[in-house]
Amino acid sequence: IQTIASTFGIPQEESEIFLFHQGRAAEHALFTQIGLWGKGLRIPSNGHFDTTRANMEANDIEADDLFIPELKKSGYHPFKGNMDLKALEKFLKNHGARVPMVYMTVTNNTGGGQPVSLKNLHAVRALCSRYQKPLFLDACRFAENAWFIKNREIEYTKRTIPEIVREVFSLCDGFTTSFKKDGLSNMGGGLLIRK
């Protein structure tokens, strides 16, 4: 638990950390509890991974993907995994009462493992704050995403990977992850929720 706190820059006393045998079990625990809040819930994302979507739908939560248009176009874009900010704001305006959280995947595995920029994450955080919604991350490829930020986002080329990781996680209210990804462990999963 100390390693989790230091890696993500979230002090142990500021969060509740739950350990599981797999990342998908952490998702199951999270969405089983959220599903108890009522019917008709919807969770927007930059791209829900298949197990995440299955865990939501098993609990009668609708999983909405808000891809940026560039994701479906050929040609280079440095951060095709970004959330469509205009679509997110419209979604929060239209469905706000039914939205328990916004859920970002880094990297965007459903979008082919495309990275998410810190600029986009900051903008999503700002919208979540404006509409009073928690921001959660599916953080299975967080280190890989940080590498892309360092190499593609000009403001962060002189920052270290750990510094970028801590800035990313300073923006969220919680996350789920598989510890098998990005070299944290050979097994296990986790759910962290800020107090």
Side-chain angles (χ1 to χ4, degrees), residues 13 17 19 92 121 150 168 188:
E13 62 273 12
I17 300 172
L19 303 178
L92 293 173
L121 282 163
K150 179 175 177 61
V168 167

PDB file of all heavy atoms in Angstrom, residues 13 17 19 92 121 150 168 188:
ATOM      1  N   GLU A  13      -3.011   8.417   3.948  1.00  0.00           N
ATOM      2  CA  GLU A  13      -4.051   8.912   4.853  1.00  0.00           C
ATOM      3  C   GLU A  13      -5.165   9.663   4.113  1.00  0.00           C
ATOM      4  O   GLU A  13      -6.209   9.960   4.695  1.00  0.00           O
ATOM      5  CB  GLU A  13      -3.451   9.805   5.943  1.00  0.00           C
ATOM      6  CG  GLU A  13      -2.758  11.062   5.436  1.00  0.00           C
ATOM      7  CD  GLU A  13      -1.294  10.853   5.077  1.00  0.00           C
ATOM      8  OE1 GLU A  13      -0.854   9.681   5.002  1.00  0.00           O
ATOM      9  OE2 GLU A  13      -0.596  11.848   4.874  1.00  0.00           O
ATOM     10  N   ILE A  17      -7.670   2.321   0.028  1.00  0.00           N
ATOM     11  CA  ILE A  17      -7.107   1.456  -0.999  1.00  0.00           C
ATOM     12  C   ILE A  17      -7.600   0.036  -0.766  1.00  0.00           C
ATOM     13  O   ILE A  17      -7.465  -0.510   0.336  1.00  0.00           O
ATOM     14  CB  ILE A  17      -5.566   1.499  -0.974  1.00  0.00           C
ATOM     15  CG1 ILE A  17      -5.070   2.928  -1.225  1.00  0.00           C
ATOM     16  CG2 ILE A  17      -4.980   0.540  -2.016  1.00  0.00           C
ATOM     17  CD1 ILE A  17      -3.573   3.103  -1.031  1.00  0.00           C
ATOM     18  N   LEU A  19      -7.452  -3.906  -2.299  1.00  0.00           N
ATOM     19  CA  LEU A  19      -6.660  -4.799  -3.134  1.00  0.00           C
ATOM     20  C   LEU A  19      -7.495  -6.004  -3.575  1.00  0.00           C
ATOM     21  O   LEU A  19      -8.299  -6.528  -2.797  1.00  0.00           O
ATOM     22  CB  LEU A  19      -5.421  -5.274  -2.384  1.00  0.00           C
ATOM     23  CG  LEU A  19      -4.491  -4.166  -1.871  1.00  0.00           C
ATOM     24  CD1 LEU A  19      -3.324  -4.770  -1.102  1.00  0.00           C
ATOM     25  CD2 LEU A  19      -3.993  -3.296  -3.013  1.00  0.00           C
ATOM     26  N   LEU A  92     -22.945  16.074 -19.871  1.00  0.00           N
ATOM     27  CA  LEU A  92     -23.181  16.445 -18.475  1.00  0.00           C
ATOM     28  C   LEU A  92     -24.367  17.389 -18.332  1.00  0.00           C
ATOM     29  O   LEU A  92     -25.114  17.311 -17.347  1.00  0.00           O
ATOM     30  CB  LEU A  92     -21.916  17.056 -17.881  1.00  0.00           C
ATOM     31  CG  LEU A  92     -20.733  16.086 -17.728  1.00  0.00           C
ATOM     32  CD1 LEU A  92     -19.477  16.838 -17.287  1.00  0.00           C
ATOM     33  CD2 LEU A  92     -21.058  14.959 -16.762  1.00  0.00           C
ATOM     34  N   LEU A 121      -6.745  15.855 -19.875  1.00  0.00           N
ATOM     35  CA  LEU A 121      -7.113  15.447 -18.520  1.00  0.00           C
ATOM     36  C   LEU A 121      -7.439  16.643 -17.635  1.00  0.00           C
ATOM     37  O   LEU A 121      -8.405  16.601 -16.852  1.00  0.00           O
ATOM     38  CB  LEU A 121      -5.988  14.620 -17.901  1.00  0.00           C
ATOM     39  CG  LEU A 121      -5.899  13.166 -18.368  1.00  0.00           C
ATOM     40  CD1 LEU A 121      -4.540  12.578 -18.024  1.00  0.00           C
ATOM     41  CD2 LEU A 121      -7.007  12.334 -17.732  1.00  0.00           C
ATOM     42  N   LYS A 150       5.291  12.716 -22.050  1.00  0.00           N
ATOM     43  CA  LYS A 150       6.657  13.254 -22.032  1.00  0.00           C
ATOM     44  C   LYS A 150       7.209  13.454 -23.438  1.00  0.00           C
ATOM     45  O   LYS A 150       7.913  14.432 -23.714  1.00  0.00           O
ATOM     46  CB  LYS A 150       7.575  12.321 -21.237  1.00  0.00           C
ATOM     47  CG  LYS A 150       9.034  12.793 -21.185  1.00  0.00           C
ATOM     48  CD  LYS A 150       9.866  11.906 -20.291  1.00  0.00           C
ATOM     49  CE  LYS A 150      11.338  12.328 -20.300  1.00  0.00           C
ATOM     50  NZ  LYS A 150      11.551  13.699 -19.808  1.00  0.00           N
ATOM     51  N   VAL A 168      -0.918  13.483 -13.254  1.00  0.00           N
ATOM     52  CA  VAL A 168      -2.118  12.809 -13.771  1.00  0.00           C
ATOM     53  C   VAL A 168      -3.030  12.408 -12.621  1.00  0.00           C
ATOM     54  O   VAL A 168      -4.231  12.689 -12.622  1.00  0.00           O
ATOM     55  CB  VAL A 168      -1.729  11.575 -14.617  1.00  0.00           C
ATOM     56  CG1 VAL A 168      -2.956  10.689 -14.877  1.00  0.00           C
ATOM     57  CG2 VAL A 168      -1.091  11.991 -15.934  1.00  0.00           C
ATOM     58  N   GLY A 188      -2.643  -9.128  -9.458  1.00  0.00           N
ATOM     59  CA  GLY A 188      -3.430  -8.290  -8.573  1.00  0.00           C
ATOM     60  C   GLY A 188      -4.050  -7.073  -9.240  1.00  0.00           C
ATOM     61  O   GLY A 188      -3.725  -6.713 -10.361  1.00  0.00           O
TER      62      GLY A 188
END
